[in-house]
């Protein structure tokens, strides 16, 4: 007989052991929100779940169970085969730790495979995330990479993380670049997914002497930063990166790849066009239509993004500003590392 596992035991187990975490909810539910690291082997697909749910509401639970068993029995061989292919211990979960995960765990156990079920399902995980967000005071010191659009702040954070520094990649968690053009080529994460990824990283860096992050606004795509994180970030040391204009344009073109997303770029520009000086806005529109992206980016920086940045700069006290001038990203990276290690007086790579 399979065993239930409590959420805190599961989270501890994730850090120490190798196993497969399997979400047996529908693909739509899985896409909307899941426990990080899990895979999806659904008991019902989206249409089957809707059909069983309709029967439950219109006729009753017993009729819904009968229909569910009828649907599941047909797909049982394929379902078991997918679990057998995993080749290691499995832990399954559904929404509340109810019939779907119980059914999945029962049949997998009957086939002689080691399997457990998450007590309380993903609902217990979501409540844990919410509690962590509410309780977290973000007491760790923060260094915030800030600066003009195109100065490669996200690239610098990725390189710092590769070198072992504690980094909260908020844009990565939101799957959005944090601007009006930020979702081009991406599918932004919803609030639940963002908070889940954020809490996982908070747990990872709980004992770190500080964390690095980017100077984001309170909202990134579909996600909103927790108030305590936003306030701590705004009060922290701001490292303003300065690169030559031509390097900034190169970074933007490389990151957004507008040749492959021209229609999305034009659509995004239409949402901010009214905020740009008319002759410049007209030229940007022409450049985007004709594929002259370097010119369009240069004008967007001059007439939209740079003025907004200069306005934001005045929000921070001078003693919280450090300005790093570099010719390229390699030089900027070295300057950031040197500043932090001098400030911390120790080698803080984790």
């Amino acid at each position: 007989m399979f065993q239930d596992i409590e959420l805190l035991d599961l989270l501890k187990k994730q850090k120490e052991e190798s196993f497969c975490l399997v979400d047996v909810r529908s693909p739509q539910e899985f896409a909307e929100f899941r426990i990080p690291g899990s895979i999806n082997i659904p008991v019902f697909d989206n249409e089957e779940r809707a059909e069983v749910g309709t029967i439950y509401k219109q006729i009753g639970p017993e009729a819904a169970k009968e229909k569910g068993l009828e649907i599941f029995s047909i797909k049982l061989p394929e379902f078991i085969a997918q679990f057998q292919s995993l080749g290691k211990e499995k832990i399954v979960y559904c929404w509340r730790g109810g019939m779907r995960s119980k059914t999945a765990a029962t049949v997998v156990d009957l086939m002689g495979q080691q399997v457990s079920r998450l007590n309380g399902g993903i609902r217990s995980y979501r409540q844990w995330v919410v509690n962590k967000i509410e309780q977290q005071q973000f007491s760790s010191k923060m260094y915030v990479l800030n600066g003009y659009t195109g100065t490669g702040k996200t690239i610098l954070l990725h390189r710092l993380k590769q070198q072992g520094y504690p980094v909260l990649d908020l844009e990565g968690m939101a799957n959005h670049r944090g601007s009006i053009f930020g979702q081009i080529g991406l599918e932004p994460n919803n609030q639940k997914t963002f908070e889940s990824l954020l809490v996982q990283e908070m747990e990872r860096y709980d004992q770190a002497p500080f964390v690095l992050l980017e100077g984001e606004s309170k909202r990134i795509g579909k996600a909103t930063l927790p108030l305590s994180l936003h306030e701590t970030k705004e009060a922290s040391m701001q490292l303003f990166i300065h690169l030559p204009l031509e390097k900034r344009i190169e970074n933007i073109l490389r990151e957004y790849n507008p040749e492959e997303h021209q229609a999305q770029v034009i659509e995004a520009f239409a949402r901010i066009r009214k905020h740009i000086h008319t002759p410049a806005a007209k030229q940007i529109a022409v450049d985007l239509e004709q594929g002259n992206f370097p010119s369009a980016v240069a004008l967007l920086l001059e007439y939209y993004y740079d003025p907004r940045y200069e306005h934001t700069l005045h929000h921070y006290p001078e003693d919280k500003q450090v300005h790093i001038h570099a010719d390229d990203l390699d030089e900027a990276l070295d300057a950031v590392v040197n500043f932090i290690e001098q400030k911390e007086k120790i080698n803080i790579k984790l």
Side-chain angles (χ1 to χ4, degrees), residues 154-171:
T154 301
I155 298 172
L156 290 173
L157 282 179
H158 290 171
R159 291 186 181 181
L160 287 162
K161 190 168 187 176
Q162 288 171 359
Q163 292 187 16
Y165 290 91
V167 169
L168 289 180
D169 181 8
L170 300 176
E171 289 188 0

Side-chain angles (χ1 to χ4, degrees), residues 45-58:
D45 63 26
N46 299 332
E47 293 74 19
E48 292 163 348
R49 173 175 172 257
E51 182 182 2
V52 172
T54 299
I55 293 174
Y56 184 95
K57 292 177 181 178
Q58 295 182 350

Side-chain angles (χ1 to χ4, degrees), residues 325-340:
H325 295 264
D327 291 330
D328 54 37
L329 285 172
D330 290 337
E331 189 175 315
L333 178 64
D334 289 341
V336 170
V337 169
N338 289 336
F339 173 82
I340 292 173

Side-chain angles (χ1 to χ4, degrees), residues 180-181 263-276 281 284-285 288 300:
I180 196 69
F181 298 92
Q264 286 181 279
V265 171
I266 292 172
E267 180 185 355
F269 171 66
R271 297 199 290 272
I272 61 171
R273 180 169 179 165
K274 63 183 179 180
H275 300 296
I276 301 174
I284 293 170
L288 292 178
L300 279 166

Side-chain angles (χ1 to χ4, degrees), residues 57-179:
K57 292 177 181 178
Q58 295 182 350
I59 303 177
E62 290 304 317
K65 287 181 183 179
E66 291 179 8
K67 185 60 180 179
L69 287 173
E70 177 187 335
I71 293 172
F72 186 60
S73 62
I74 297 173
K75 59 204 303 182
L76 186 57
E78 179 184 356
F79 184 83
I80 293 174
Q82 290 183 74
F83 271 87
Q84 289 176 327
S85 69
L86 299 177
K88 59 178 73 172
E89 179 189 354
K90 298 92 176 169
I91 298 176
V92 300
Y93 69 86
C94 60
W95 169 234
R96 292 180 295 185
M99 286 302 299
R100 286 183 289 180
S101 57
K102 181 178 181 180
T103 299
T106 299
V107 298
V108 171
D109 177 70
L110 287 173
M111 296 304 296
Q113 299 184 55
Q114 187 176 357
V115 61
S116 303
R117 178 180 67 164
L118 175 60
N119 188 26
I122 196 172
R123 187 169 67 170
S124 66
Y125 173 75
R126 173 58 183 163
Q127 189 57 56
W128 176 78
V129 168
V130 170
N131 290 340
K132 282 288 183 179
I133 293 289
E134 291 176 349
Q135 296 167 8
Q136 180 65 40
Q137 296 302 310
F138 295 97
S139 56
S140 294
K141 185 190 302 181
M142 293 183 180
Y143 292 104
V144 184
L145 295 192
N146 219 317
Y148 286 103
T149 301
T151 49
K153 300 180 289 293
T154 301
I155 298 172
L156 290 173
L157 282 179
H158 290 171
R159 291 186 181 181
L160 287 162
K161 190 168 187 176
Q162 288 171 359
Q163 292 187 16
Y165 290 91
V167 169
L168 289 180
D169 181 8
L170 300 176
E171 289 188 0
M173 298 173 203
N175 207 31
H176 192 283
R177 301 183 190 90
S179 73

